[in-house]
Amino acid sequence: MTDAIALTIHARDGAARTGALLTPRGDIRTPAFMPVGTAATVKAMRPEDVRATGADIVLSNTYHLMLAPGAERIARLGGLHRFMNWPRPILTDSGGFQVMSLAKLRKINGNGVIFQSHIDGSRHELTPERSMEIQRLLGADIQMQMDECVKLPCPPEEAERAMRLSLRWAERSKAAFGDDQPGRALFGIVQGGVERTLRIESARALVGMDFHGYAIGGLAVGEPQADMLATIEAVIPHLPDTKPRYLMGVGTPDDLLQSLRRGVDMFDCVMPTRAGRHGMVFTRAGRLNLRNARFADDSRPVDPLSTSAMARDYSRAYFRHLVKAGEILAMMALTEINLAYYQDLMAGARSAIGEGRLDAYIEETRRGWAEGEAEET
Amino acid sequence: MTDAIALTIHARDGAARTGALLTPRGDIRTPAFMPVGTAATVKAMRPEDVRATGADIVLSNTYHLMLAPGAERIARLGGLHRFMNWPRPILTDSGGFQVMSLAKLRKINGNGVIFQSHIDGSRHELTPERSMEIQRLLGADIQMQMDECVKLPCPPEEAERAMRLSLRWAERSKAAFGDDQPGRALFGIVQGGVERTLRIESARALVGMDFHGYAIGGLAVGEPQADMLATIEAVIPHLPDTKPRYLMGVGTPDDLLQSLRRGVDMFDCVMPTRAGRHGMVFTRAGRLNLRNARFADDSRPVDPLSTSAMARDYSRAYFRHLVKAGEILAMMALTEINLAYYQDLMAGARSAIGEGRLDAYIEETRRGWAEGEAEET
């Protein structure tokens, strides 16, 4: 496989590294957080404002886009970048995870998954070949193999079955991705639940197939943080140092710091955007629930050190009023503040790695959460 | 009354005039459209983006703010401008109109209105004195007398009763406004339904009381456009030429053009913002309903001549997708496009009046709606 999308590492600090993933659509500074733009929009954000928070890449969901407005339609309209007016890199998932979590009457077999749309009940089939075809039609810069992600906890035999199926789908995904997509990348996904031996077997087999990058899937699905971190520690040594490592669907700010410290380069999570739509805001002083009555007369800004003007130029009392009144501006503002917080966190980590002081940065950051008005719930 | 807020007229074209209302918080170019920010936010818009559409002033609603978060609270937090981060002029209504249209178990008497909150059923009383106190606490630059607005059609006796009550409340409002609010203005409101003689009597009585400006209330409440325009034509000659004239709660783009042509200086309406939250967009080619299936593959922008980038940089197909998916970005984008359209319309009218070609401008604008894909519904 050609390394159309290449990782360059600028500095290391322990197992952590910082650098950039170079793509024809722009560089992705790593460690990177990718905001989730499920239905071709990062909810409640204009793309230029997503960019202004510091995002180099966004993620979009194959499952949602295949159902509406349809991959062929987006292709006719010039591809996903043009459709959503985001000229920078886009990563798409395979659709498999959301078929299993959102669709109705899903039935998995060796070939793929047959399911009914959660929107209108229409019948669809997703196979590794169709998933890759959709991602190609969308024009995604980073495409993901189709895999099966089991819920945790699960019996080892079930984790093993899904891992082996995912390996077969990895081969089929790679064949379908082909060698005619210059400047685009395909990532394999390590599965195996929290079984160390399964995870290592999965990683080795995928590396043998030679992907442009490697994801760790199936984590942050209900297991304790310690299990997640142990799994990351088990897998990382078996992944090539020169390729990007992507931890899928993770997580809290602390999850991100603990994981990048162990060598993860890329993250995505709905947490900052979803929390922002529900009155929760991430700050240097921990997470605040702006529905709380104690903010009703609080004239202080949400986070005076934020890079987002929304966090500096309005009072907590104002946002509390907007949240209680169900105003759209609350969702817009808190989403932006949260995305800026996640990007600021990554920027801080990149600097700290460059200066060889990542552990001190993590310690300072955690102290801020603890000393502030954290109300982690 | 001191003319703290002064109207300066730059040019005239027939009964129409263009100029500016000079206030300590900035000039309001007239004819002016005021976006509605009911609960201290123009829904789905950041204040800097409201300003970027060309708005010099916004309106906010006394009824909503007195219920939540409360006028005394906003005053403690530094006033409404600081609360909503809008440093430019703000006009507040008296609350009377919305008590009658939104509140439960309302009971009007000579002193004021007793009602229950539509939010939590709590009991409140609104009088001219309390309305003015609230508007003072909010720090509104332009404050409105409390009046009673009847629904049309209504019997002449009912229109007369409400008009006379409104005159008594005008006197009480003026006394309560006082003479200790430099740089702020109080407007009287002409009532009288569609009864020409009542309207003229109301206008003359109010002018005798000497307000900073005069509003025409109780229109666009169900009557034909012709009745509205006839009422405006009847009232305008009885208002002082040197004072601003504000047509409350109106209306469609055509309503605005027809009314400013008759000498109206100021407008407010929820139409552009409400329509934008429901997939309707105002363009130079008429109003489009983006829910319509005919836009599913329409790669054209919404309005290539709009001053809003949202109207130029995205396809109709994209917005149709967002509207159908219930995405917040649809509400944000279409609200902005609509507000920009209304402001562009006012800017065009101001230029046309300055050049003595208002009728030609109105004709060109209406031709655009007719020749385009208008689907006025």
Side-chain angles (χ1 to χ4, degrees), chain A residues 39-40 43 46 314 318 321 327, chain B residues 39-40 43 46 318 321 327:
Chain A
K43 290 185 195 302
R46 296 187 297 198
Y314 299 79
Y318 181 62
H321 160 66
E327 285 289 348
Chain B
K43 290 185 195 301
R46 296 187 297 199
Y318 181 62
H321 160 66
E327 286 287 349

Side-chain angles (χ1 to χ4, degrees), chain B residues 152-353:
Chain B
L152 295 178
C154 87
E157 310 76 53
E158 173 66 3
E160 181 168 359
R161 184 201 56 75
M163 183 272 280
R164 295 202 189 285
L165 179 65
S166 296
L167 285 181
R168 292 196 297 278
W169 286 359
E171 291 199 41
R172 285 167 56 188
S173 296
K174 187 157 185 281
F177 178 83
D179 54 8
D180 59 342
Q181 298 192 73
R184 296 181 185 169
L186 176 64
F187 282 23
I189 305 177
V190 177
Q191 287 290 359
V194 289
E195 309 302 320
R196 184 186 167 85
T197 53
L198 293 181
R199 285 284 179 176
I200 291 171
E201 182 183 341
S202 173
R204 285 183 173 161
L206 290 169
V207 172
M209 297 180 208
D210 187 21
F211 285 90
H212 294 119
Y214 299 89
I216 305 176
L219 291 178
V221 289
E223 80 285 2
Q225 190 197 45
D227 288 359
M228 178 181 84
L229 297 179
T231 304
I232 294 168
E233 285 180 8
V235 169
I236 293 274
H238 299 279
L239 297 178
D241 184 69
T242 55
K243 297 287 177 72
R245 304 156 181 169
Y246 161 32
L247 180 59
M248 301 185 79
V250 176
T252 65
D254 190 54
D255 286 340
L256 267 59
L257 293 179
Q258 297 305 328
S259 301
L260 66 87
R261 185 173 172 278
R262 288 163 172 82
V264 173
D265 302 306
M266 301 165 68
F267 303 92
D268 81 282
C269 192
V270 296
M271 188 170 283
T273 40
R274 182 173 290 166
R277 295 197 304 282
H278 292 89
M280 303 292 299
V281 66
F282 291 93
T283 79
R284 282 152 183 76
R287 201 167 65 168
L288 310 178
N289 181 352
L290 290 169
R291 287 194 176 277
N292 199 304
R294 71 189 170 105
F295 297 118
D297 288 289
D298 191 336
S299 63
R300 292 173 297 168
V302 164
D303 187 351
L305 296 179
S306 173
T307 53
S308 162
M310 304 299 305
R312 302 188 311 262
D313 295 348
Y314 299 79
S315 64
R316 296 171 179 191
Y318 181 62
F319 287 134
R320 195 238 175 204
H321 160 66
L322 294 185
V323 168
K324 280 203 65 179
E327 286 287 349
I328 294 167
L329 183 59
M331 299 194 268
M332 295 162 59
L334 303 184
T335 299
E336 178 182 307
I337 294 170
N338 288 346
L339 286 180
Y341 184 75
Y342 269 63
Q343 295 298 345
D344 290 355
L345 196 69
M346 292 300 97
R350 291 192 295 264
S351 295
I353 295 167

Side-chain angles (χ1 to χ4, degrees), chain A residues 232-249:
Chain A
I232 294 168
E233 285 180 9
V235 168
I236 293 275
H238 299 278
L239 298 177
D241 184 69
T242 55
K243 296 288 177 70
R245 303 155 181 169
Y246 162 31
L247 180 60
M248 300 184 80

